[in-house]
Amino acid sequence: MRVRVEQTALPGIGVRHDLMTESGRRLGVVSHRNGRRDLVLYDPDDPDSCQHDIPLTDDEAEALADILGASLMLGQLSGLREQAAGLLTEQIVMPAGSKYVNRRLGDTKARTRTSASIVAVLRQGEVNVSPDPTFRFEAGDVIVVVGTRQGLDGVTAILAETDPDG
């Protein structure tokens, strides 16, 4: 199902984005000119009347976007996993002591060494989809990997490697 998002200018306030859920509920986000955001849930009996208005701080809005974005992406990957026998997805946290912290994805040679693919990196509320070989890892990155069990274990082992000189 394709979801239609309606954008409405609110003179002197900002802009509102609304959508109708499959269950028939209307919700929206009001982005104020001063940077404030409100999550709005409309009354099911009167779709023009606001039933709940939840103000969000920048951190809360970012956390909500992260939760929704990451869960959507992982849900899509999970659906793909069900279609392909033996294909798994896993989230691996980049250890602080890894020799690949502050190094490029290409330096790991993960795909060549394991046949597993790093398909996304989640970092501080941002989803980096299909990072290229020049992408630099940071400690605590959540790395989304697709592959066989053996491949996923291989990527986990690679990322756990420490620098003996470090």
Side-chain angles (χ1 to χ4, degrees):
M1 176 180 121
R2 199 74 192 140
V3 177
R4 191 176 93 217
V5 176
E6 295 177 7
Q7 179 176 321
T8 306
L10 303 172
I13 297 171
V15 65
R16 184 182 75 213
H17 293 90
D18 294 327
L19 65 87
M20 184 72 72
T21 67
E22 191 173 299
S23 66
R25 293 300 305 262
R26 187 167 156 230
L27 60 98
V29 175
V30 176
S31 301
H32 296 260
R33 289 178 20 192
N34 66 5
R36 186 178 120 196
R37 281 173 295 282
D38 294 317
L39 183 60
V40 182
L41 183 61
Y42 296 94
D43 187 329
D45 298 323
D46 181 2
D48 293 324
S49 175
C50 176
Q51 188 175 37
H52 298 286
D53 181 339
I54 305 166
L56 299 173
T57 66
D58 287 346
D59 289 341
E60 292 164 342
E62 186 175 313
L64 182 59
D66 184 35
I67 290 166
L68 293 172
S71 67
L72 177 62
M73 182 187 67
L74 293 173
Q76 290 170 340
L77 290 173
S78 180
L80 175 63
R81 179 178 61 205
E82 292 170 7
Q83 295 174 17
L87 186 64
L88 305 170
T89 60
E90 193 161 279
Q91 296 179 54
I92 304 166
V93 177
M94 175 62 81
S98 171
K99 73 180 191 179
Y100 294 106
V101 169
N102 298 320
R103 290 189 48 199
R104 298 177 318 143
L105 181 151
D107 294 340
T108 67
K109 297 185 175 33
R111 192 155 97 188
T112 302
R113 293 166 65 185
T114 68
S115 295
S117 296
I118 294 174
V119 297
V121 178
L122 309 164
R123 176 186 295 159
Q124 300 175 349
E126 301 268 331
V127 179
N128 297 288
V129 179
S130 299
D132 67 34
T134 63
F135 177 88
R136 289 197 177 270
F137 289 115
E138 292 181 8
D141 282 350
V142 178
I143 300 156
V144 181
V145 184
V146 176
T148 63
R149 175 80 266 148
Q150 183 179 356
L152 299 178
D153 291 344
V155 173
T156 300
I158 289 168
L159 297 178
E161 293 173 6
T162 56
D163 189 352
D165 300 328

